[in-house]
Amino acid sequence: MEEGCSRIRRRVSVCKRNRPSLASTSAIPSAAQLQSRDEQEEEEEMVTRSRRRKTVGVQPVEHNDSEEDMFGDYDSFTENSFLAQVDDLEQKYIQLSEQRKHATDFATEDFCSESIKNKLSVTTVSNFTEYKSDKHTENQTEHEDVPVEPGTDVLYDLPSSQILYFENLQNSSNDLGDQLTEKGDGSSSFPNTVNEELSHNCIKQQEQNDGSSSKVRSNSDTSRRKSIKDHLKSTMTGNAKAQTPIFSRSKQLKETLLSEEINVAKKTIESSSDDLGPFYSLPSKVRDLYVQFKGIEKLYEWQHTCLTLSSVQERKNLIYSLPTSGGKTLVAEILMLQELLCRRKDVLMILPYVAIVQEKISGLSSFAIELGFFVEEYAGSKGRFPPIKRREKKSLYIATIEKGHSLVNSLIETGRIDSLGLVVVDELHMIGEGSRGAILEMTLAKILYTSKTTQIIGMSATLNNVEDLQQFLQAEYYTSQFRPVELKEYLKINDTIYEVDSKADSGMTFSRLLNYKYSDTLKKMDPDHLVALVTEVIPNYSCLVFCPSKKNCENVAEMICKFLSKEYLKQREKEKCELIKNLRNMSSGNLCPVLKRTIPFGVAYHHSGLTNDERRLLEEAYSTGTLCLFTCTSTLAAGVNLPARRVILRAPYVAKEFLKRNQYKQMIGRAGRAGIDTIGESILILQEKDKQQVLELISRPLENCYSCLVQEFTKGIQTLFLSLIGLKIATNLDDIYHFMNGTFFAVQQKTLLKEKSLWEITVESLGYLTEKGLLQKYTVLSEEELQYNFHITKLGRASFKGTIDLAYCDILYRDLKKGLEGLVLESLLHLIYLTTPYDLVSQCDPDWMIYFRQFSQLSPAEQNVAALLGVSESFIGKKASGQAIRKKVDKDIVNRLYLSFVLYTLLKETNIWSVSEKFNMSRGYIQNLLTGAASFSSCVLHFCEELEEFWVYRALLVELTKKLTYCVKAELIPLMEVTGVLEGRAKQLYNAGYKSLMHLANANPEVLIRTIDHLSRRQAKQIVSSAKMLLHEKAEALQEEVEELLRLPSDLPDVEASSSEKA
C-alpha cells in the first residue's frame, strides 16, 4: 500500500514539478529536507522516463466511442497496484462488516476508519506538490507575499478529468462529514487532503453497502458492489467529455493581490496613520488604471498636498477651490474610490448638467468594472427611488442637482442615509443660482442634519465668500492658484492688443498691434478682426470663440469660413468627410446647411440649438483635432471640458447682459490644454464705450454666493418645509426652526432679509402651506406649553414625492381630476397634454398659421381632446387670420396644447428634423422640450402613485415616460439605456448586429471600431464598459429580488410559541 501511495504521489509531482506547495507558503523547509527532496525528485524523474520508454511501443487505440471503456484492463493511475490493494482492502472490510452486521455501535465505524487511514498512509498536500525552480521563483518575486488558496493550489494545472473527479469526491466527503458530525460527538475533524478524501469516499460507499447488504447477500462478491476501479473509469470517461475548466493563475494572483491591498488600506484608514499605502490608501491597481485609462502617471503637487491634509484624513468636510483646468476632479475621484473600496460606503456625486453626468459615468464605468463597484445614473427620467440596496458591491450615484435631492430624500425615508459615506458637489458656486441653487442647499442641509457620518466635499473654480459656505458646511478650506498651463489675458480695442496687468495703474499694458492685411470687404464683414485672431492659431492649434447669442455663433462661423484660404480644406480632409457623412446618418439624411459649409474648413458652431447626437459628434471631432475652431455660447464654458490654445470673447456680453466676473473666469479658463500646450491665451474684444466696465470686470473679485432658499419661494423654503414634515425629519415648529438655523440662508439671513427674523419667515411659510391644503396644523399641550405640530396631507405628500413645483401642484391635481371625466385613449395626445411641463408654457409663442394647419389635420378623437380642454378650431382660425376674439380662452391652456402638438408629432414621426420644419422651431429647442416632458412625466407618475383616485394613470404613464425618454423605435430602447448611446449611435449598432444589452456588454471594442463609422477607440471602450456596468446592475438587482423572496420573514410567528400559548 505504501508503494501505491508513493506512485500516485510521483505522478502528480511530475505534472507540478515547478510549482510551490501549500506547505511552502507557511513553512520553510530545512536544508537537509531540501537536499533529500532533490535526490527524491531525480530518482522519480528516472522512474518516469523508464516508464515512458516502456510505453512507447504500445499500439495506440485507433478509435474509441464515447460510450466504450477507453482504459480497457489498464489502470492509468498506478498500474493496477494501488487500485488492486484498495479493492482487497474493501473486500476485507465488507467481510468484516458482514461478520459484525448486528453490532451497530460507532466503535466499529471508528475502528474501520482508523484502519483504512493507517493502511493508506494518508499523505499531506505538500507531498503532491514540489517547489518551483529557482528561475521561476525569481520571475514571481512580486507576488511572493500573496496567499494562495489551498483548493486552488491542489487543482492547479491538473487534467480536467482529475479536477472534476476530485471536486465530486470533495462534495461526497463534505456530505459524509456532515452526517458523522450529527451522529458522533462532534470532536472528529475531516482533513482536506486528496488521499483522505479518497478514504472518506470509500467509507461512504461501505456505509451505503452495509445498509443494503441483506438485499444482495445471494449475489456474488463482485456484483455486491461497484469496484472503485470501475467507478474511476466511468467517472473519467464522463469527465473526458466535459469542457476543460480554465484556471488563470495570473488572474487569481492579481485578484488576491488587489484584495490584500484593499484590506491593508482599510486598516490604514482605520488607524489614521500617516502611511497612505500603495496609492493614497488605495490598491496600486488604481494607480495602474489611471495610467491605462487616463494617461495620468503622476499627481500635481497641490493634489498630493490636498489628499494628505489632516482634515481629509480625519474625514472632515472640505471645500477646495482652484482655477479651471487645475485638476480638481481627480482629487474628488480618489476620495470617492477610498470611500467605495476601503470604507465600503456608497457615494453621491452631484453635477450641474445631464451631459456632464453622462460624460462622468462613461469615464468611471471602466474603473467600476475593474475595481468591483456600481456606477448608477440619476439624470432626466433615469434613476430608481429608493436605490437598490446592494448585497456586497457599493454604488457610486452620479446625479444632477434635482435627482440628487430626490435620492437623498429616498435614503432618509428608508432609514439608509448613513449608508452614504461621501457626497461630492462639483461647481459648488451654483448654490447661489436660482431655484437649482435652492435645491442644492436643501440637499446639503438635510445631509448635515440627518447624518453625522456622511462627509461632504465641495469644489469650484469661482468662489469668493468661502467663509459663509464654510460655516454652513462646517468645512475646512483649501485653495491654490495652480494651473498646469500658464494663462495670459489680453484685451483688444480696435487693432491694438493689451495684456492684462494688475500691477499697472490702468490694469493693462500695451502688447502689440495686429499685423494682418484687410481688404475693404473684409473690414466691413469683420470689423473685430476675428479672422486675423483665429488664423494665428488654427489649424495647428485649437480655438474657441464665445459669442453673445446662438444666431451670432452661426453667423460668425460662416463669416470666418468665407475668408479662410483653400489650404484649410486640405487639412484632415478625409476625417471631415467622415464627420459630415456621420452627421447625415445620425439625422436620417439631414444636415444643417451652416455646418455643411463650415466643417470642410474645420469650423463649427456649438450651442443649445444642436441635437444631442450632433453635439456629441462635433465635440468628439474637436477633441481629436478634426475640427480646430468652435464658435460657441457661454454654456460650453460650464459644460463638457473642451480646452483650446486660444479663447476669444466676441463681446463682453451674454445675450444683452454685461458679463459677470464668474462667467468671464469660466470662459477664459478653457484656454491652455494640459499636456498639449505650454501656454494659454484669452482675448476679450471690446469697444471703446465698454472700456471702463471691462477694466472693472478684470480687476474686481469674484461675485459672492447668496442663498436662494427664500427668494425662490415655491421651489425653495416651502418645498423644504413640506419635505421635512413628509420625511418626519422635523414635524413641529420648534424642530423646523432648529433645522432652518443650520441652512446657508441662516448664515446670510442678516444680509439677505433684514426686515424679517428667521422665526417670522418660518411661521409665515408654514402658514402658506397650511392654507394651500398641503399641511394640517394641530396643537399639542406638552409640559404646560402649547406646541404646534404639522401633518402632511395626501396632496402634500403627492407633491413632495413627485417633486412638483408647489406653484403648479393644485393646477396639476385639477387637470388630472378633470382628465378622469373623459380621458381620451384613442391616441396619446390627451396623456401628452397632461405631462407637458407648465414652466415651458410661458416661453411658448405659437405660430398661429402652423397651429391652425396642425389643428385641421387632427382626427375626430384628437379634436375631442381639444374640445374637452376648451380650445375650438374657430378660435385658432380667428387667431391665424388676425380677427378680434370676444370669447375668453385661457392662454396657458392654448399654449400648452400647442407644445403638446409638437411632442405628439415627434412621438409619431420620431424625426426631430421633420418636426423642426413643420413647427418652425430649432431642433435643439424641440429636444429640450422632449427631455423636459420626459422628466415631468416621471414626476407626474410619482404624484399619481400617492393618490388612490389616480390609479388609472399609473400604468399609462410608465409607458409614456419611456416613450418620451427615448423617442425611438422600440427595438432601439435597450441600446439607448446604455450611457453615451444616443439615437444615431443606437441605429448604427443595431444595423451592425448589436441588438441587445448583452451584445454590447460582450462586444470587442476593436471590432466595434472597425464596424461602426466614426467611433473612436475611447468611445468604443466607454460604450462597452457602460453596457457591462448596466448588465451587472440588472443581474445584481434580480439576485437581490430572489434573495428577498426566499428570505425568512423576521415577523414569522413561532410555531412552538403559538402551540404553547394555545396549551
Side-chain angles (χ1 to χ4, degrees), residues 654 657-665 697 700 703:
V654 173
E657 292 184 12
F658 196 80
L659 203 61
K660 294 179 182 177
R661 174 71 174 168
N662 288 353
Q663 293 171 324
Y664 172 71
K665 291 293 283 184
L697 169 73
R700 66 169 174 248
E703 287 85 6

Side-chain angles (χ1 to χ4, degrees), residues 200 240 288 411:
H200 287 312
D288 298 338
L411 290 172

Side-chain angles (χ1 to χ4, degrees), residues 179-191:
Q179 293 172 14
L180 293 181
T181 305
E182 291 172 3
K183 292 180 180 179
D185 57 2
S187 62
S188 61
S189 63
F190 292 87

Side-chain angles (χ1 to χ4, degrees), residues 737 740-743 745-746 749 756-763:
Y737 176 70
M740 278 298 293
N741 275 299
T743 61
F745 174 79
Q749 193 257 327
K756 286 184 181 179
S757 68
L758 193 61
W759 176 266
E760 288 173 329
I761 294 168
T762 304
V763 171

Side-chain angles (χ1 to χ4, degrees), residues 372-568:
F373 61 89
F374 289 111
V375 179
E376 299 184 38
E377 180 180 351
Y378 282 79
S381 60
K382 291 185 178 180
R384 186 191 294 255
F385 303 103
I388 298 170
K389 190 174 182 180
R390 304 293 181 187
R391 295 173 302 152
E392 294 176 5
K393 294 182 181 180
K394 296 303 169 184
S395 291
L396 168 57
Y397 310 113
I398 302 182
T400 55
I401 292 171
E402 294 79 7
K403 287 292 181 176
H405 182 226
S406 299
L407 179 65
V408 168
N409 282 344
S410 69
L411 290 172
I412 292 171
E413 187 174 27
T414 53
R416 289 167 50 193
I417 189 64
D418 287 332
S419 69
L420 201 61
L422 175 66
V423 175
V424 174
V425 182
D426 195 9
E427 310 294 356
L428 184 61
H429 61 270
M430 289 195 73
I431 200 169
E433 296 186 11
S435 60
R436 305 194 80 210
I439 293 169
L440 181 57
E441 181 181 344
M442 286 189 276
T443 305
L444 296 175
K446 286 175 185 175
I447 293 167
L448 288 166
Y449 192 85
T450 57
S451 175
K452 303 304 177 189
T453 59
T454 304
Q455 184 184 15
I456 296 174
I457 303 286
M459 53 182 171
S460 174
T462 54
L463 284 177
N464 189 33
N465 55 332
V466 181
E467 296 81 9
D468 289 350
L469 285 165
Q470 276 186 268
Q471 188 179 338
F472 165 49
L473 294 175
Q474 303 150 37
E476 302 287 319
Y477 179 60
Y478 176 83
T479 187
S480 169
Q481 293 306 310
F482 171 82
R483 234 183 160 273
V485 178
E486 183 188 359
L487 172 62
K488 290 190 175 181
E489 298 177 45
Y490 297 96
L491 303 176
K492 179 191 163 296
I493 305 173
N494 298 323
D495 59 352
T496 309
I497 294 177
Y498 301 88
E499 184 174 354
V500 174
D501 186 357
S502 57
K503 296 176 183 177
D505 294 335
S506 61
M508 61 182 187
T509 55
F510 174 80
S511 176
R512 63 189 173 97
L513 286 170
L514 269 180
N515 184 20
Y516 191 86
K517 293 181 181 179
Y518 265 65
S519 63
D520 292 336
T521 309
L522 185 52
K523 281 180 182 177
K524 288 180 182 178
M525 295 288 291
D526 182 24
D528 294 326
H529 308 99
L530 278 172
V531 174
L533 292 173
V534 300
T535 51
E536 288 178 347
V537 288
I538 65 168
N540 296 325
Y541 298 98
S542 56
C543 182
L544 294 175
V545 179
F546 284 101
C547 303
S549 67
K550 288 185 283 189
K551 189 63 182 171
N552 192 234
C553 285
E554 297 178 30
N555 292 339
V556 168
E558 284 204 276
M559 182 274 294
I560 289 173
C561 289
K562 282 179 182 176
F563 296 100
L564 289 178
S565 71
K566 293 188 177 180
E567 290 298 315
Y568 285 87

